[in-house]
Amino acid sequence: MKVRVASAGTGKTASLVLRYLELIAGGTPLRRIGGVTFTRKAADELRVRVGQAIEEVLEEGSHLSFVLEPSDRPKFLEARRELGGAAVSTIHGFMGQCLRLAAPLLHLDPDFSILGDWEARTLFEEEWNSLLYLAQDPSHLLAGVAHPEQTEALLHLFSKRSLAEAWVAAEGEENRTLLRVYDAVYAAYKGRLRSNLLSPSELELRALELTRQRAALERVLERVSILLVDEYQDVNPLQGRFFAALEDAGLPVEIVGDPKQSIYAFRNADVAVFRRAMQEGQVLPPLTHSFRHSATLVRFLNRLTQHLAKGGLGFSPGEAPEVHGVREARGRLELHWTVGEALMDELRAQEAEILAKRLQKLGYDYPYSQMAVLVRSYASVGFLESAFKRAGLPYVLLQGRGYYERQEVRDLYHALRAALDPRGLSLMAWLRGPFGQVRGMREEGGREEGGRGLEDFSTAQASRLPAPSFQGLELFAVEQILRAENPARSLELNYPEIHARLVKIQQQIRLASPLNVLKFLVREPLIAGRAYQDFLELRARENVDALLFQFAPRPPQSLEALLERLELLSGQAEAGDVPQSGEGIQILTVHRAKGLEWPVAAVFDLGRKGVHQAQVLYIGGDAEGVGHGEGRRLENLFPRPVSPGPPLELRQVFALEDTPQFSVLQQQAKALEEEETYRLFYVAASRARDVLVLSGSVRQEKPEGWAATLAAMGLGPEATPYDRPDFLQRTWLYRPTKEVPVEPEAEALEPSPWIGLTFETERFPPLFSPSAFKREEAEHEPLPLPDPTEGEEVPGKARAVGTLVHYAIGQNWQSGNPEHLRNLEAQEVMFPFNATEREAIMAEVAALLQGYERMLGRELPWPRDEDYPEFAMALPMGTTVWQGVIDRLYLSGGRWYLEDYKTDAQIRPERYHFQLGVYLEAVRQAWGVEPEVRLVYLRFGELVEVKKAALEAAVEAVRV
């Protein structure tokens, strides 16, 4: 493996582009070069830069230091044709491409989907909760072993699974017990994923599995001739092991990165992976020419890295080569210290005021939009906001990651873009999403008998179902539209309903403001009578609401400006979960600033110490290296066989609190965390192009945090003040804020007579269900086998049995019809169960259906004059609307019957009096009929007629 160190601003991307040109000239087709980087933004940028370089070579004969030989021109013409299909992607994108090449060999569906991390965690939590429920049975294998107190530790292990292929429990019974429980939950979680769903960590594990199967590995080697990996300091151990395995298999791998910028340990990145590559691979000359920094900043950064490397603080001398500036700009460095005996928060408030004044002065030379203030912790942001507001400085907060890349936000972007110009990728994305839904399309997964189209749902029925995940037009239909000379006209001829939707959006664009157009897209029932927000899960709906709220205070002036802003923010590696629009000084953490640069950058609150967040358990190297003072040994992270054979499994050990090895792993984690803080400071200091402003607070002449680092370099608050065009250093003494005189309070007025009145809290919400009231009453006395169709959230077999039986009865399906039973077994509620469990459930369902069928024509009239299964009802009563579903309402022989089917293990009709009373009253008011009310206990084949007086009394008791 070839390794190159590239410090911040030294043209890392440019060097990769040059390497592409060299490989193409050497005879390697562009389609055979794999390019891998850390984010989608970086991958897209690399693809664009390679394309521009190829065009420049073809038009001008050279690019930077590369000169085209005339005989190589055909190779570059071929590369230009292949650019659209070039393999440039993220690490996970490349792994996914490799897995799809060899999916059948790995028992994977080639069309597998990728889960988000938060979705994977949700599935894992569901399996853990299911196991907790099942482990209450004394006969369960984990009875007495699984406890709710293990939740935090299990989730922590799950979040760190990119560090190892398998966990090893350190010494101690608690550790061994936790591992046993984790393995059980993780096995159930993997069963949920099956062969067509992978989360990022499981993608990494499957990619490692690929490297251990020669036939699968050869499929990759046939497709890729060389692999170029960028930002290698940010890879995690599983990713590093994958690239090392490809290199061992004969695929040349060239990596570039900067250990000084390895700051993502909280995302499982491990700088030891890069160091391992440097130790075992061929180290190429580092990139040493800074194209980013002014001359003054180059000198400062060299001094900073030499000081840190000399002390082994975060990186070694070999990882910190001296850098030479290319730019002629002199630039400027400013250091501002606030010192005093006051509390640190009081010092920070004055420090923020000083920084605001300095940025105000710099605003004469640089627009505020070209400035950023970086903080180590969000706890520092409040001081900046207060100071900037007082100074009248515009600012924008950037918080969180990936908000503008979320699907719900991109759906709205593409809807606007497609309405402005109905062609190209945005039109394709719009047609493939919810806005491309055609009336009558079926839900995903509901194409066989029993699936219901969108038009089949009444409003009452639809409200009982989760928000469906609808897809738009099929790919072949979208392709036909895009290939048409006039895509909009083609859409109008073939799908007039969708075209009418597009026209409505275009009309809104002409008539309404950009913010109101966004609201229209979200809330207007454009899609077969439903609004876009109705298709979203709660989390996605909250994100869309946040988007509207954040644009509302400062709405964009034009739709083009709105689109440009959304596109700009989606391209950033980091963007806020609760973002802010507008222009101004950007305030963000150092982690969020990675990969970005500004003409003016300030680092605020240098005196803040890093605080170690205690963990429920700690993870370290293989068990062999724990407890012997060896820390995290590289050979334990990447064991390799000394003789030919499959690679050893990558394992790491964990220890819970109060177990023997906990303190060892804790100290190791703290040491690694401290190392990363120095690298974090380097990242912060290297974001400025022209002017870098550093500010910190020091109390009682004891610098802490990054302030201590600068003090050790002779640049602390005790250093000689300077004021030169290129360097300003000043120490400010703390001065208490002058107290503002308090005006005397005006004479109190008499309060209004209604000021103390309050609205009485209603017992029930505006919309409630009888089954929810039943749960509330029976909270301390649950039935052995509740009726799941009434809304009880009971996981496991009982829920599946009840759901399938009620659904089959509602559809008039028969226990003796194999096709009906197959359709039942294919329902979503059966997905969590294995083959044996499904067989047992279906046997029980068939038995209950047979009991029901025996009652037909005897206890239950058949045939019927009118029959309404799964009948939705709503009954206004007081301040509450009671909403529910009647299992069966029918007319036979001139008499009406209202029936409710029960799969309970006990016959206790009194538990359902209120629920049935509400159903009875709703039928009376709506249809004016007087049905007989009956409970059908399917397990006993017994019909229980319920007295109406008892039902009316139950309803009246609740009404009162």
Side-chain angles (χ1 to χ4, degrees):
M1 187 177 290
K2 295 181 179 179
V3 186
R4 191 187 300 275
V5 173
S7 299
T10 55
K12 180 160 46 64
T13 303
S15 70
L16 282 173
V17 172
L18 283 174
R19 185 66 182 127
Y20 266 92
L21 300 181
E22 292 169 359
L23 290 169
I24 294 170
T28 304
L30 179 60
R31 64 182 182 276
R32 299 289 185 232
I33 304 173
V36 177
T37 188
F38 200 64
T39 65
R40 286 195 295 269
K41 176 198 171 188
D44 292 341
E45 180 186 355
L46 180 59
R47 183 190 300 274
V48 170
R49 294 276 294 274
V50 170
Q52 291 173 343
I54 290 173
E55 290 295 336
E56 188 176 337
V57 165
L58 288 171
E59 292 177 6
E60 301 180 14
S62 65
H63 173 76
L64 298 179
S65 60
F66 178 83
V67 178
L68 176 67
E69 296 292 336
S71 59
D72 292 334
R73 186 174 181 81
K75 301 174 185 176
F76 284 87
L77 290 172
E78 181 184 19
R80 181 165 63 182
R81 292 193 296 270
E82 295 176 347
L83 183 63
V88 182
S89 65
T90 63
I91 294 175
H92 287 140
F94 178 73
M95 287 179 164
Q97 293 167 15
C98 293
L99 289 175
R100 294 185 200 281
L101 287 173
L105 300 173
L106 302 168
H107 306 289
L108 270 177
D109 182 344
D111 196 29
F112 63 81
S113 301
I114 303 297
L115 275 177
D117 280 325
W118 68 271
E119 295 172 292
R121 177 189 169 102
T122 299
L123 290 181
F124 184 84
E125 286 188 87
E126 287 180 3
E127 293 302 331
W128 166 231
N129 290 331
S130 298
L131 186 144
L132 274 177
Y133 175 77
L134 296 173
Q136 296 176 27
D137 185 343
S139 64
H140 194 275
L141 289 174
L142 294 176
V145 175
H147 304 289
E149 295 78 11
Q150 297 166 326
T151 300
E152 186 181 356
L154 289 170
L155 291 176
H156 187 78
L157 275 180
F158 183 75
S159 70
K160 297 296 181 182
R161 64 197 187 283
S162 288
L163 295 177
E165 295 175 75
W167 298 119
V168 178
E171 182 183 346
E173 184 60 31
E174 290 183 35
N175 296 323
R176 289 188 287 271
T177 298
L178 182 67
L179 181 59
R180 182 181 170 195
V181 174
Y182 178 85
D183 286 344
V185 181
Y186 189 63
Y189 159 78
K190 288 200 297 184
R192 287 278 292 273
L193 298 185
R194 297 179 179 265
S195 63
N196 61 349
L197 206 58
L198 294 175
S199 77
S201 293
E202 279 62 52
L203 182 77
E204 295 162 358
L205 288 166
R206 285 302 195 106
L208 262 183
E209 180 186 338
L210 177 150
T211 65
R212 290 164 183 161
Q213 295 192 27
R214 190 64 203 179
L217 190 56
E218 286 175 353
R219 297 293 305 275
V220 176
L221 299 179
E222 290 170 358
R223 189 64 59 91
V224 184
S225 300
I226 188 170
L227 188 62
L228 308 179
V229 186
D230 191 13
E231 302 285 5
Y232 201 76
Q233 78 280 348
D234 291 329
V235 304
N236 64 45
L238 289 187
Q239 295 166 350
R241 186 67 178 274
F242 170 72
F243 291 126
L246 292 179
E247 174 81 18
D248 290 344
L251 176 65
V253 178
E254 299 181 11
I255 66 173
V256 62
D258 185 9
K260 301 189 296 301
Q261 298 187 70
S262 179
I263 60 171
Y264 290 132
F266 68 94
R267 292 183 193 156
N268 300 324
D270 193 342
V271 69
V273 179
F274 191 97
R275 288 170 176 164
R276 175 85 187 199
M278 290 185 68
Q279 181 184 9
E280 295 189 346
Q282 177 187 353
V283 179
L284 302 175
L287 300 179
T288 57
H289 290 85
S290 174
F291 299 91
R292 174 189 300 170
H293 304 113
S294 60
T296 298
L297 299 191
V298 168
R299 290 197 302 272
F300 170 71
L301 289 173
N302 279 333
R303 184 175 173 184
L304 175 64
T305 55
Q306 289 166 9
H307 170 79
L308 295 175
K310 185 177 179 180
L313 304 177
F315 43 85
S316 66
E319 297 166 348
E322 185 177 356
V323 173
H324 307 283
V326 172
R327 298 177 59 205
E328 295 182 358
R330 181 166 56 176
R332 182 175 175 85
L333 172 67
E334 295 191 10
L335 288 93
H336 298 275
W337 299 108
T338 302
V339 299
E341 302 300 317
L343 297 175
M344 281 297 291
D345 280 356
E346 295 176 354
L347 296 175
R348 290 184 178 113
Q350 180 171 313
E351 177 191 342
E353 298 286 349
I354 294 168
L355 179 59
K357 292 177 181 177
R358 294 307 305 166
L359 295 179
Q360 241 179 353
K361 185 172 182 180
L362 289 168
Y364 291 108
D365 299 316
Y366 298 92
Y368 290 129
S369 59
Q370 295 183 11
M371 299 182 186
V373 181
L374 314 183
V375 294
R376 183 171 180 172
S377 165
Y378 281 124
S380 303
V381 171
F383 301 102
L384 291 170
E385 287 192 280
S386 298
F388 285 8
K389 286 176 181 177
R390 281 192 292 272
L393 293 176
Y395 66 92
V396 179
L397 291 180
L398 296 183
Q399 309 167 345
R401 173 179 174 80
Y403 174 91
Y404 292 98
E405 294 181 337
R406 290 187 62 85
Q407 186 61 53
E408 56 271 20
V409 178
R410 298 303 289 170
D411 277 347
L412 298 176
Y413 169 86
H414 289 305
L416 295 171
R417 181 66 74 185
L420 282 176
D421 184 11
R423 294 176 298 176
L425 293 178
S426 283
L427 179 62
M428 180 183 71
W430 186 75
L431 293 173
R432 286 285 288 159
F435 288 101
Q437 181 70 202
V438 177
R439 188 179 297 273
M441 280 181 139
R442 297 187 183 274
E443 284 188 65
E444 188 179 352
R447 298 181 183 276
E448 34 186 275
E449 184 177 349
R452 291 181 287 181
L454 185 62
E455 76 283 6
D456 297 326
F457 289 108
S458 68
T459 303
Q461 288 171 319
S463 66
R464 298 174 53 237
L465 300 173
S469 175
F470 284 102
Q471 286 189 337
L473 295 181
E474 298 291 344
L475 277 173
F476 73 88
V478 175
E479 183 178 6
Q480 288 180 340
I481 293 171
L482 293 178
R483 287 183 178 275
E485 183 176 349
N486 187 336
R489 179 61 178 163
S490 176
L491 182 64
E492 183 180 12
L493 293 174
N494 294 286
Y495 301 95
E497 181 181 353
I498 301 179
H499 181 263
R501 205 170 294 156
L502 183 67
V503 170
K504 287 182 180 179
I505 299 173
Q506 290 172 333
Q507 290 171 346
Q508 282 293 311
I509 289 175
R510 288 193 293 270
L511 299 174
S513 67
L515 181 60
N516 285 329
V517 174
L518 264 184
K519 294 177 182 177
F520 176 84
L521 287 174
V522 173
R523 298 169 180 170
E524 189 70 15
L526 290 171
I527 309 167
R530 301 180 69 183
Y532 173 73
Q533 64 183 10
D534 295 335
F535 293 83
L536 303 179
E537 296 177 349
L538 178 61
R539 177 187 175 98
R541 190 176 297 188
E542 289 174 348
N543 281 327
V544 169
D545 288 341
L547 186 69
L548 295 176
F549 277 117
Q550 293 305 323
F551 277 107
R554 285 175 280 181
Q557 298 302 307
S558 67
L559 192 61
E560 289 77 11
L562 171 61
L563 289 169
E564 184 179 354
R565 182 73 177 164
L566 286 173
E567 186 62 20
L568 171 67
L569 291 169
S570 71
Q572 292 186 358
E574 312 293 341
D577 293 334
V578 184
Q580 292 193 350
S581 62
E583 297 293 334
I585 302 169
Q586 299 180 50
I587 302 176
L588 65 168
T589 65
V590 181
H591 282 105
R592 308 300 186 236
K594 177 72 160 50
L596 305 177
E597 61 181 66
W598 295 267
V600 178
V603 185
F604 174 73
D605 202 0
L606 295 172
R608 183 175 291 276
K609 294 189 298 183
V611 178
H612 173 73
Q613 299 293 332
Q615 301 172 10
V616 64
L617 59 80
Y618 286 92
I619 297 166
D622 191 81
E624 179 185 339
V626 176
H628 302 287
E630 298 183 37
R632 259 175 49 184
R633 303 188 308 175
L634 291 174
E635 60 269 26
N636 290 328
L637 285 175
F638 292 94
R640 295 192 182 183
V642 293
S643 58
L648 298 178
E649 192 175 54
L650 177 58
R651 310 184 312 162
Q652 290 214 44
V653 69
F654 70 86
L656 287 161
E657 193 173 5
D658 298 327
T659 60
Q661 293 168 339
F662 178 83
S663 61
V664 175
L665 294 180
Q666 184 184 47
Q667 291 305 314
Q668 173 185 297
K670 287 181 177 180
L672 293 173
E673 201 172 88
E674 184 179 359
E675 283 186 25
E676 187 170 283
T677 63
Y678 295 109
R679 299 195 290 268
L680 196 66
F681 186 28
Y682 171 76
V683 171
S686 58
R687 297 307 95 194
R689 288 178 50 83
D690 300 325
V691 179
L692 175 63
V693 182
L694 303 174
S695 75
S697 297
V698 176
R699 185 170 181 262
Q700 297 178 343
E701 300 180 354
K702 294 179 181 178
E704 295 180 307
W706 295 339
T709 300
L710 291 172
M713 295 170 57
L715 296 173
E718 300 300 322
T720 305
Y722 281 91
D723 189 359
R724 301 197 311 247
D726 60 340
F727 180 41
L728 171 65
Q729 175 157 333
R730 184 168 177 182
T731 300
W732 305 79
L733 294 176
Y734 172 72
R735 289 190 177 87
T737 305
K738 294 181 180 179
E739 294 186 5
V740 179
V742 179
E743 296 183 4
E745 293 185 8
E747 188 173 339
L749 301 176
E750 285 293 325
S752 299
W754 44 260
I755 198 69
L757 299 179
T758 59
F759 290 101
E760 292 185 8
T761 303
E762 300 290 345
R763 180 180 176 188
F764 304 114
L767 185 65
F768 206 40
S769 69
S771 57
F773 175 74
K774 182 186 68 178
R775 286 201 308 275
E776 188 178 279
E777 280 195 322
E779 183 177 358
H780 304 294
E781 190 185 357
L783 289 175
L785 186 62
D787 183 349
T789 63
E790 297 300 315
E792 288 84 346
E793 293 295 334
V794 181
K797 176 184 172 184
R799 178 171 181 263
V801 170
T803 300
L804 296 180
V805 168
H806 279 76
Y807 187 66
I809 292 174
Q811 297 292 321
N812 293 324
W813 286 356
Q814 301 171 358
S815 62
N817 188 321
E819 185 177 354
H820 291 170
L821 294 179
R822 282 196 300 271
N823 280 342
L824 280 178
E825 191 172 358
Q827 299 301 311
E828 183 178 0
V829 73
M830 295 288 278
F831 289 0
F833 303 102
N834 59 37
T836 303
E837 292 168 332
R838 289 200 300 271
E839 184 178 353
I841 290 171
M842 290 306 301
E844 187 172 354
V845 169
L848 289 169
L849 289 177
Q850 289 167 7
Y852 170 74
E853 291 162 2
R854 284 193 294 269
M855 298 177 73
L856 288 176
R858 295 166 49 193
E859 293 88 350
L860 305 177
W862 192 269
R864 297 155 182 178
D865 301 322
E866 294 183 41
D867 194 5
Y868 302 97
E870 296 287 309
F871 190 72
M873 55 72 57
L875 176 66
M877 193 166 68
T879 60
T880 298
V881 175
W882 295 87
Q883 177 180 280
V885 177
I886 301 170
D887 285 349
R888 206 90 181 201
L889 180 67
Y890 60 88
L891 175 67
S892 178
R895 300 174 66 183
W896 283 94
Y897 298 90
L898 189 159
E899 291 176 353
D900 207 45
Y901 307 118
K902 297 299 173 189
T903 56
D904 298 349
Q906 296 178 4
I907 298 178
R908 295 177 61 183
E910 66 276 7
R911 295 185 62 87
Y912 301 100
H913 281 178
F914 173 71
Q915 179 180 352
L916 294 174
V918 170
Y919 294 167
L920 173 62
E921 185 63 23
V923 172
R924 282 172 170 172
Q925 292 188 20
W927 283 15
V929 300
E930 193 69 26
E932 293 185 19
V933 181
R934 310 194 296 188
L935 286 167
V936 183
Y937 284 92
L938 299 174
R939 291 187 180 275
F940 305 93
E942 186 167 336
L943 186 67
V944 177
E945 184 169 346
V946 187
K947 300 298 182 183
K948 294 181 182 178
L951 304 184
E952 292 164 353
V955 172
E956 184 61 25
V958 172
R959 190 198 306 268
V960 173

